[in-house]
Amino acid sequence: MIQLSKRLETVAEYIPNGSMLADIGSDHAYLPIYAYQHDLIKGAIAGEIADGPFTSAKKSVNESNLSEVIEVRKGDGLSIITENDQVDCVTICGMGGSLITSILEKDKEKLVNVNRLILQPNISANVIRRWLIEQNWELVAESILEEEGHIYEILVAEKGDRYKPYELDKLDKEILFGPFLLKEKSRPFLIKWQREYKEWTRILEQLNQAVENEQIQQKKQQLKTFIDWYKEEIDDETTERS
């Protein structure tokens, strides 16, 4: 039986039972193998664009004797999916938020029959949240966890009401922090944003010493906005728990 990292185990928890899964950027194909071994899916496509991970994924699937139910395909992003595959759940994990968004945007017609997206960005989760809103995907759950010194966010989306989890008067703020995560304010969440706050203040101090131009003014205003949001929503929580 495949053993997953805490990060990928959490992703697997959001895969609906009986799904036909497409795992994009599957690396060793551990996630689809684990999902099948735990009776979460009926089958899967593991997609990889690079030769090395593609070969590793093929090897893992063959060694698990699952080549009849998990097909490893080489290709760019969602392009590996065909209508005949009947994929209804897509996972994309371990990439930057901008890259995940570009993968979704490039072949978004492939998502017509997909009911659930489970996305695990390493950075820039806010970019994904904004794309989901723009494309009428509803954020239905979020998780944040710490593993080996790194903090990971997991976003789960389904087709639906584009603003349902967000408070409209706090939309940009909740896109940054995550509407579910902001309400929960877990320990990993507070650690992540304490780090970000320190980085924002450091950069702002540097910019205050720089020669003013329009670009610097815009960056300073953005940082001041983020710092204000942090103080409004999070600062008291970190003080109380310290």
Side-chain angles (χ1 to χ4, degrees), residues 22-25 45-50 54 71-87 90-92 95 99-112 114 117:
D23 184 38
I24 306 301
I45 297 160
E48 259 302 341
I49 191 170
F54 171 76
E71 183 178 351
V72 181
R73 295 181 187 170
K74 190 170 184 290
D76 185 10
L78 300 175
S79 68
I80 63 163
I81 300 173
T82 71
E83 189 174 340
N84 292 335
D85 296 325
Q86 298 182 317
V87 167
V90 170
T91 51
I92 310 178
M95 307 178 195
L99 178 55
I100 290 175
T101 301
S102 68
I103 288 171
L104 294 170
E105 177 65 27
K106 183 178 180 181
D107 293 293
K108 58 188 176 183
E109 72 278 0
K110 301 280 188 174
L111 301 174
V112 171
V114 173
L117 299 174

Side-chain angles (χ1 to χ4, degrees), residues 10-240:
T10 306
V11 169
E13 289 173 5
Y14 289 108
I15 299 173
N17 285 343
S19 295
M20 182 62 188
L21 177 69
D23 184 38
I24 306 301
S26 196
D27 199 14
H28 289 78
Y30 289 161
L31 179 60
I33 292 170
Y34 175 95
Y36 189 84
Q37 289 176 339
H38 287 77
D39 298 321
L40 298 176
I41 61 174
K42 61 186 178 183
I45 297 160
E48 259 302 341
I49 191 170
D51 289 334
F54 171 76
T55 301
S56 295
K58 292 273 286 186
K59 181 180 178 183
S60 298
V61 170
N62 289 335
E63 288 179 350
S64 300
N65 296 314
L66 293 177
S67 56
E68 291 187 6
V69 290
I70 300 175
E71 183 178 351
V72 181
R73 295 181 187 170
K74 190 170 184 290
D76 185 10
L78 300 175
S79 68
I80 63 163
I81 300 173
T82 71
E83 189 174 340
N84 292 335
D85 296 325
Q86 298 182 317
V87 167
D88 51 16
C89 180
V90 170
T91 51
I92 310 178
C93 305
M95 307 178 195
S98 295
L99 178 55
I100 290 175
T101 301
S102 68
I103 288 171
L104 294 170
E105 177 65 27
K106 183 178 180 181
D107 293 293
K108 58 188 176 183
E109 72 278 0
K110 301 280 188 174
L111 301 174
V112 171
N113 297 314
V114 173
N115 299 319
R116 175 165 286 198
L117 299 174
I118 309 170
L119 311 170
Q120 182 271 298
N122 291 341
I123 57 170
S124 303
N126 59 308
V127 175
I128 296 175
R129 291 189 188 98
R130 190 171 295 281
W131 184 89
L132 293 171
I133 288 173
E134 292 170 350
Q135 301 298 321
N136 288 325
W137 284 85
E138 180 186 334
L139 195 65
V140 296
E142 296 175 298
S143 285
I144 187 167
L145 59 107
E146 185 177 12
E147 185 173 38
E148 297 182 353
H150 299 285
I151 292 177
Y152 302 103
E153 294 179 54
I154 297 165
L155 313 182
V156 185
E158 297 178 350
K159 289 170 183 171
D161 185 340
R162 58 190 284 180
Y163 292 120
K164 190 172 181 181
Y166 300 93
E167 295 181 39
L168 293 182
D169 60 336
K170 298 181 180 179
L171 185 61
D172 288 334
K173 186 189 299 183
E174 292 190 337
I175 286 172
L176 178 64
F177 295 123
F180 296 102
L181 302 180
L182 187 57
K183 287 173 182 168
E184 183 182 348
K185 293 189 173 93
S186 66
R187 181 178 177 277
F189 175 86
L190 296 177
I191 291 171
K192 171 186 169 70
W193 292 109
Q194 275 182 298
R195 291 175 184 171
E196 293 291 338
Y197 171 73
K198 289 176 182 177
E199 184 66 6
W200 294 335
T201 55
R202 183 189 68 79
I203 295 171
L204 185 58
E205 287 174 6
Q206 289 183 340
L207 292 178
N208 284 334
Q209 306 303 316
V211 178
E212 282 280 313
N213 59 39
E214 185 177 349
Q215 185 178 6
I216 287 177
Q217 287 177 346
Q218 290 176 351
K219 184 61 177 179
K220 284 170 66 175
Q221 186 54 55
Q222 182 190 57
L223 290 169
K224 287 175 182 177
T225 299
F226 290 170
I227 288 168
D228 286 344
W229 288 349
Y230 176 88
K231 290 179 177 178
E232 289 168 10
E233 299 289 344
I234 299 170
D235 200 25
D236 289 344
E237 293 282 339
T238 57
T239 302
E240 287 175 10

